[in-house]
Amino acid sequence: MSEKEDLAKQKAEAAARAKAVALARKQAKAEAAEKPEGDMDIAKQKAAAAAKAKAAALAKKQAKEVAEKPEGEMDIAKQKAAAAAKAKAAAMAKKQAKEEAGEKPEGEIDAAKQKAAAAAKAKAAAAAKAKAAAAAKNRTAAQESEEADTPSEISPNQSKLDQIVSAIESHVGQGALLENYINRLSKDVPTLVANPDTYFSIAKFLRYDEQLDFSYLSELHGTDFESHMEIYVHLHSFKMNQSVALKVKLDRDTPVIPSLVPLWSGANWPECEAYDLLGINFYEHPDLKRILLGEDWKGYPLRKDYEPYDVEV
C-alpha cells in the first residue's frame, strides 16, 4: 500500500470515528431524557460501547473501500476536496470584505476610491511620460544616426561642404562647428551643426563672405526633441547655386540664442513664431512677441509636454 493510500485510509477512519461518536452522543442524550438516573448510567455505557463498535466497523469498511479504489479515483477525490475548500475560503473572504465595507461610512469608501483612482492615474501618467521620453530619445538618436550615415557613394555636394567647412574653420575657428555632414534625407543638403557660442558668428560669416554669399534665408523653425531644443536654418547662395542647413542645439529649460534678424530680415516672423509656440528666446530681436496666441496665453503648444491651461479651449 502506498503512502498516499495510507494517508487516505487514516483520514477515512478519523472521519468515521467522529461521526459515530456524534451519533452515540445524540442517542444517549435522547435515551437519558426518558430513563431514571441509574438506568441512564447503564444506558450511557451501553450506548458508548455500541457507538464505539459501530464507529470501528464503519471505519474499517471505509478504509477497505478506499484501499480498493484505483489511484486515479483517489486523486480525483482529493482534487474535488481541495476545490471545495478553496471555494469555501474565497466565499468567506468575500463575505468578510463585504462586512468590512459595510461597516465603513459611505464618505470614507468614496474617499478611498478617489485616492486609489488618483494614485493609479498618477502612476499611469508617470509611466506614459517615461515611455514618451525614451521614445523621443530613440527617435533623436535614430534621426542623427541616419543623417550622419555616409553611404559608400560620395555625394555630389561633398566638395561644397568641404569648401564651406574649411572657410568657417579658417575665419571663425576650429571649434566653431560641432559636426558637419551630408543630409541624405533632405536632397543631400550640406548640414552644419554650430556651437551655441559660435552660432551667430558662423551665420554672419555665411551671410557676408564674398565667396559664399548665403544672402537668402528660406526657412527657420524650432523643434522640441524633449532632451533639447533645436533651431534649423535653411540658407541659399545664388552665387554658389548651393543651399546649406545651419543647426544649433539649445538647453530645453533655458532656450536662448541670438536673433538672425540683423543678418536676414526674413528671420523676423519665424523667430517670433518659435518664441510663441516653443518659448525659445531670441535676444537682440527688434520686436520679439507672441504673434498667434497672445501675450496672456499659458504655455507653449509645440512643446511635447504642453498641457492646456483651459482644457475646454
Side-chain angles (χ1 to χ4, degrees):
M1 186 178 291
S2 65
E3 186 179 346
K4 290 183 178 179
E5 291 174 344
D6 288 341
L7 182 59
K9 182 178 179 180
Q10 291 171 7
K11 288 183 177 179
E13 289 176 352
R17 283 198 298 269
K19 186 174 181 182
V21 170
L23 181 60
R25 285 180 180 174
K26 183 177 180 182
Q27 290 176 350
K29 189 174 180 181
E31 291 173 0
E34 298 174 356
K35 293 182 180 181
E37 189 173 349
D39 293 339
M40 285 173 62
D41 292 336
I42 297 172
K44 283 182 181 179
Q45 293 173 3
K46 288 182 179 180
K52 189 172 182 182
K54 187 175 181 180
L58 183 60
K60 189 174 182 181
K61 181 181 178 182
Q62 290 181 344
K64 187 177 181 181
E65 291 175 354
V66 170
E68 292 173 354
K69 281 187 178 180
E71 189 174 350
E73 291 184 13
M74 290 173 64
D75 290 339
I76 294 171
K78 287 182 181 179
Q79 292 172 5
K80 287 182 178 179
K86 189 174 180 181
K88 187 175 180 181
M92 288 180 64
K94 187 174 181 182
K95 182 180 179 182
Q96 186 177 358
K98 189 174 181 181
E99 290 174 353
E100 290 177 356
E103 292 172 359
K104 286 186 179 180
E106 187 175 351
E108 290 184 13
I109 295 174
D110 292 340
K113 286 182 180 178
Q114 291 172 2
K115 285 182 180 179
K121 188 176 181 181
K123 187 176 180 180
K129 188 174 182 180
K131 187 176 180 181
K137 189 175 181 180
N138 291 338
R139 285 197 304 271
T140 303
Q143 180 181 0
E144 291 177 352
S145 175
E146 288 176 359
E147 290 177 350
D149 183 27
T150 304
S152 57
E153 183 182 351
I154 298 176
S155 168
N157 290 332
Q158 186 63 50
S159 60
K160 296 286 182 69
L161 175 61
D162 295 340
Q163 176 188 349
I164 296 167
V165 170
S166 177
I168 291 173
E169 290 179 344
S170 299
H171 292 81
V172 183
Q174 289 291 326
L177 290 172
L178 295 178
E179 60 177 314
N180 63 87
Y181 54 89
I182 297 294
N183 189 348
R184 297 279 183 172
L185 301 179
S186 182
K187 299 180 180 179
D188 279 25
V189 63
T191 302
L192 311 170
V193 182
N195 188 313
D197 296 332
T198 58
Y199 167 72
F200 185 81
S201 300
I202 292 171
K204 186 176 181 180
F205 177 73
L206 294 173
R207 171 68 179 85
Y208 293 115
D209 181 77
E210 292 183 358
Q211 299 299 320
L212 303 180
D213 191 26
F214 285 92
S215 59
Y216 179 60
L217 183 148
S218 61
E219 183 183 0
L220 184 153
H221 69 262
T223 305
D224 179 14
F225 286 97
E226 292 190 290
S227 58
H228 65 279
M229 294 284 189
E230 188 173 282
I231 295 294
Y232 176 94
V233 183
H234 196 275
L235 305 170
H236 186 77
S237 169
F238 294 100
K239 180 177 286 188
M240 294 180 66
N241 190 28
Q242 180 62 47
S243 294
V244 69
L246 176 62
K247 297 168 67 173
V248 60
K249 296 179 181 181
L250 307 176
D251 179 72
R252 193 172 184 276
D253 295 328
T254 55
V256 179
I257 200 71
S259 171
L260 297 185
V261 173
L263 305 178
W264 295 277
S265 59
N268 189 336
W269 182 272
E271 284 185 351
C272 286
E273 184 179 47
Y275 166 73
D276 189 10
L277 302 179
L278 288 164
I280 299 175
N281 188 12
F282 298 87
Y283 62 86
E284 296 187 4
H285 187 286
D287 187 24
L288 190 64
K289 60 184 178 181
R290 305 192 84 154
I291 56 176
L292 299 174
L293 302 175
E295 294 296 336
D296 59 343
W297 189 270
K298 305 292 183 181
Y300 304 99
L302 288 188
R303 288 200 177 205
K304 298 293 174 58
D305 58 355
Y306 172 71
E307 294 183 4
Y309 179 73
D310 186 348
V311 295
E312 295 182 359
V313 175

